[in-house]
Amino acid sequence: GSELNIVCLGATSKCEERVLRDTKCWHELGLMFPCVRIKLWMVGPEVSKRAVLHPKSVGDLARDLGLPPNMEVRTQRIEPPCFSAFHARHVDELGPHNTLLVTFNGGFGSFVDTGNSDLLWSWYDDLCDIADSGIPAMFTCANDYADVTGETIVQSMLVGTRFVQAPTANPYHSGSTFQGEGGVGDKWFCANHSVYVIQGCIEGAR
């Protein structure tokens, strides 16, 4: 049967990995696509090594997590730029035909609000390599007043990516919203509030 690689970039042990351990959210992928072999990759500098998740094997880990039989999970702890190093290791098995990249609340557009672009530049090389790979990539943002605005500027003007799906409100966002103490008009954050998808880049745009 067919295989789908879902690569979660910037995953952490306290967030995406914890959801995998403590809930059945990730399991739904295998249940939604029972005829597809799904390989879930969690990649980033803050994700646990596989030996920490389970000391034996990928198969033992899948059984302990109660994953559907058509699904397995792998972790790769890589320092930034994460995608570049990860893709180099797996370039022969991961491509636009069988892979989706996912980044939850990357936050590299927050410079619009904070004035600090350090996070943006820590992502920049990876964003360029993601676009150049031609692999479709989905990004979520925690708000629309800064993250969406900033990431749209970065993706369109600095990276030159093609938008497959323009930024839009995500109906499956977090059930809670963090509101600052300043009252009306203050900062707020809601995980996965907005979503957009890019694939490839526009020639000469970078």
Side-chain angles (χ1 to χ4, degrees), residues 35-96:
C35 297
V36 178
R37 182 69 184 171
I38 295 178
K39 189 179 292 185
L40 173 64
W41 301 82
M42 294 201 172
V43 180
E46 298 178 52
V47 75
S48 296
K49 294 181 179 179
R50 199 271 304 162
V52 174
L53 277 174
H54 200 287
K56 294 182 180 179
S57 69
V58 171
D60 290 327
L61 174 59
R63 283 188 291 273
D64 282 3
L65 292 172
L67 294 176
N70 61 320
M71 189 174 177
E72 66 180 61
V73 61
R74 297 172 181 264
T75 64
Q76 291 209 2
R77 191 168 191 167
I78 303 175
E79 294 299 319
C82 300
F83 175 74
S84 307
F86 173 77
H87 191 229
R89 295 179 186 178
H90 303 282
V91 65
D92 293 332
E93 56 183 306
L94 305 179

Side-chain angles (χ1 to χ4, degrees), residues 30-206:
L31 299 175
M32 288 179 64
F33 305 103
C35 297
V36 178
R37 182 69 184 171
I38 295 178
K39 189 179 292 185
L40 173 64
W41 301 82
M42 294 201 172
V43 180
E46 298 178 52
V47 75
S48 296
K49 294 181 179 179
R50 199 271 304 162
V52 174
L53 277 174
H54 200 287
K56 294 182 180 179
S57 69
V58 171
D60 290 327
L61 174 59
R63 283 188 291 273
D64 282 3
L65 292 172
L67 294 176
N70 61 320
M71 189 174 177
E72 66 180 61
V73 61
R74 297 172 181 264
T75 64
Q76 291 209 2
R77 191 168 191 167
I78 303 175
E79 294 299 319
C82 300
F83 175 74
S84 307
F86 173 77
H87 191 229
R89 295 179 186 178
H90 303 282
V91 65
D92 293 332
E93 56 183 306
L94 305 179
H97 64 292
N98 68 351
T99 304
L100 173 66
L101 308 176
V102 181
T103 298
F104 295 107
N105 310 297
F108 54 87
S110 61
F111 67 91
V112 169
D113 178 55
T114 66
N116 187 333
S117 60
D118 289 349
L119 184 58
L120 158 61
W121 295 118
S122 75
W123 270 94
Y124 180 71
D125 288 343
D126 263 345
L127 294 174
C128 291
D129 287 341
I130 288 170
D132 291 342
S133 75
I135 298 174
M138 183 185 82
F139 295 83
T140 70
C141 299
N143 59 54
D144 56 5
Y145 65 87
D147 288 359
V148 168
T149 300
E151 291 189 26
T152 301
I153 292 171
V154 171
Q155 296 282 20
S156 60
M157 300 183 68
L158 295 183
V159 182
T161 54
R162 294 183 183 276
F163 281 85
V164 176
Q165 168 65 60
T168 186
N170 175 19
Y172 306 105
H173 58 71
S174 172
S176 59
T177 299
F178 173 80
Q179 180 74 49
E181 298 179 356
V184 178
D186 201 8
K187 301 175 183 179
W188 58 268
F189 307 93
C190 176
N192 308 315
H193 173 274
S194 304
V195 61
Y196 65 92
V197 182
I198 62 98
Q199 183 175 21
C201 53
I202 301 171
E203 186 176 355
R206 190 179 308 157

